[in-house]
Each structure stands twice: as C-alpha cells, then as structure tokens.
Amino acid sequence: MRKFIVAISGGSGALYALKVCEYILANGDELFLVTSEPGRRVLSLETSINLSGKTEKDLKILLEKFGANYKNQIHIHHENDVGASIASGSFKTDGMVIIPCSTGTLGSIANGISRGLIERAADVVLKERRKLIIVPRETPLSLIHLKNMVKVTEAGGIVMPASPGFYHIPKSVGDLVDMVASRVLQHLEIESSIIKQWKG
Ligand SMILES: Cc1cc2nc3c(=O)[nH]c(=O)nc-3n(C[C@H](O)[C@H](O)[C@H](O)COP(=O)(O)O)c2cc1C
C-alpha cells in the first residue's frame, strides 16, 4: 500500500479532489487527507459533502461517501495538527497533491511559510525530494501567482492547473472533472479507468 497525501484548500473545484481520493482508495492505497477551513466551505458549496473539521466525524462522512470497506485506508488530519505523521520527513509518503490549490496556499508553499499542516506537509515533501503536485484554480493570474508557481516548480513541485482539454469531446461536467483528475492520477502513477491516452 502506498501513502498519498491529498490536501483540499479553498480554491474552486472540490470535485477534482473527490475524484482523486476515489481512485487512490479504489487502487488499494492509503489516503492522508487534510482540508483547510475555506476548503471545507467550498467543498460543501460545490458538492453534497459537508465536512466539519472534526476528524472522527469527517471520517464517518467520507466512509459513507466512498464505502465503509475503506476504513483502514483513510486517515484524516486536522489542518492545525502540525504534529501529525505527515508533518515529518521521517514518515515516508509516495506523493502529495493539493487539489484544488488556492492562491493563498500556493503563496505559502512557494515561500516556505509552514504555518498549518497543509503547508508543512508540502514543505516536507519538497525538502525530501518527493512528488508534490499543485492544482491551482484562479483566473486571471497576477504576477505574484505566476512567480509563486515558478518558485514551486524550481523547488521540484509540479504545477498542474485545473484546465481540462476539450479534445476528448466531453459530454458532461463529470467528463471535465475526470480529465483533470486523470492527469493528476497519472503523475502519481495510480491506475484508473478514467485515464484516456490520446492515440492520435
Ligand atoms: C466560493 C469560494 C470560491 C473560491 N474560489 C477560489 C479560487 O478558485 N481560487 C482561489 O485561489 N481562491 C478562491 N477562494 C478564496 C479562498 O478560499 C481564500 O483565499 C482562502 O483564504 C484560502 O485559504 P486556504 O488556502 O487556507 O484554503 C474562494 C472562496 C470561496 C468562498
């Protein structure tokens, strides 16, 4: 079982995160989930999932969403719990994705400001030279956002904007969500039925 960290911050696009979580679990891997307070707010606005920030309660909600059989695969950490396993480099993980990534969280990570667990875990992933994927969602982008993306890229992170292509002829919002989520899953080397390779 591999260990993947998924962080949901307060950018728009919570559906992308749910899709990535779904396939991490379906693949038999462990999910370490952290949500920011704005992340939970946007999640409840855009989906039917209403997380509270209380780990036990939120675990129950996610088990209802993904299936009770995933109990041993889901670990939820509070955003302020900088003593959680994933806050230390000695705890080996196989990759982290921040999806969606707000410009605020992007700015903190780009500048090494590790105040909460999302920023700290990302800082650790970068310093340990592990895989960090950031899925920012904002438009238009200011020079500050662009420079922060350059900084994260220079530090070894992968910036993967939530911008689905249309050449697979999407028929629904779900198809567009799959398009973004599948690119993230490919980079995490997670098998999924939603990955469609372009064959020309
Ligand atoms: C409905 C809603 C949608 C938002 N969408 C975005 C967005 O797409 N991108 C972004 O950078 N911030 C967005 N924000 C603002 C962030 O949530 C806000 O800056 C927050 O402080 C980010 O905190 P976090 O990085 O700790 O999650 C949105 C806020 C709300 C309430």
Side-chain angles (χ1 to χ4, degrees):
M1 265 168 128
R2 291 173 298 168
K3 294 176 169 47
F4 293 108
I5 306 166
V6 175
I8 302 177
S9 70
S12 182
L15 284 169
Y16 300 127
L18 296 182
K19 191 56 77 173
V20 168
C21 290
E22 180 187 325
Y23 279 98
I24 288 174
L25 295 171
N27 209 49
D29 294 314
E30 277 182 273
L31 168 68
F32 293 77
L33 182 72
V34 195
T35 59
S36 70
E37 193 280 320
R40 293 189 294 276
R41 181 172 168 177
V42 179
L43 182 76
S44 77
L45 210 129
E46 296 182 337
T47 74
S48 55
I49 309 283
N50 224 323
L51 298 182
S52 65
K54 297 194 172 70
T55 49
E56 286 300 314
K57 207 170 161 188
D58 290 351
L59 179 61
K60 267 179 91 175
I61 293 169
L62 291 180
L63 290 174
E64 270 168 34
K65 160 83 185 152
F66 294 117
N69 50 323
Y70 291 130
K71 194 170 189 303
N72 297 329
Q73 285 170 251
I74 304 179
H75 313 272
I76 299 181
H77 293 301
H78 191 272
E79 65 202 288
N80 294 333
D81 185 7
V82 288
S85 55
I86 56 171
S88 170
S90 63
F91 186 76
K92 191 160 174 339
T93 57
D94 297 280
M96 173 173 185
V97 55
I98 306 176
I99 178 168
C101 186
S102 72
T103 53
T105 292
L106 167 71
S108 296
I109 293 166
N111 293 285
I113 302 165
S114 305
R115 295 271 176 248
L117 182 58
I118 294 179
E119 293 95 332
R120 170 61 186 167
D123 202 50
V124 165
V125 167
L126 286 178
K127 84 180 171 75
E128 298 294 335
R129 310 295 195 267
R130 295 176 190 149
K131 188 168 280 184
L132 176 68
I133 299 173
I134 287 190
V135 183
R137 213 291 333 165
E138 192 47 274
T139 193
L141 295 165
S142 73
L143 185 60
I144 294 170
H145 303 149
L146 292 165
K147 282 186 172 172
N148 284 336
M149 288 186 206
V150 170
K151 278 189 187 179
V152 168
T153 304
E154 284 173 344
I158 299 169
V159 177
M160 202 177 275
S163 60
F166 288 79
Y167 51 91
H168 283 298
I169 318 297
K171 294 187 178 53
S172 64
V173 172
D175 286 347
L176 294 170
V177 171
D178 284 358
M179 174 82 81
V180 171
S182 72
R183 298 295 287 133
V184 171
L185 293 166
Q186 262 186 319
H187 274 263
L188 292 176
E189 293 173 37
I190 294 171
E191 294 295 325
S192 88
S193 55
I194 56 173
I195 294 174
K196 287 186 190 139
Q197 280 188 50
W198 182 248
K199 303 225 170 64

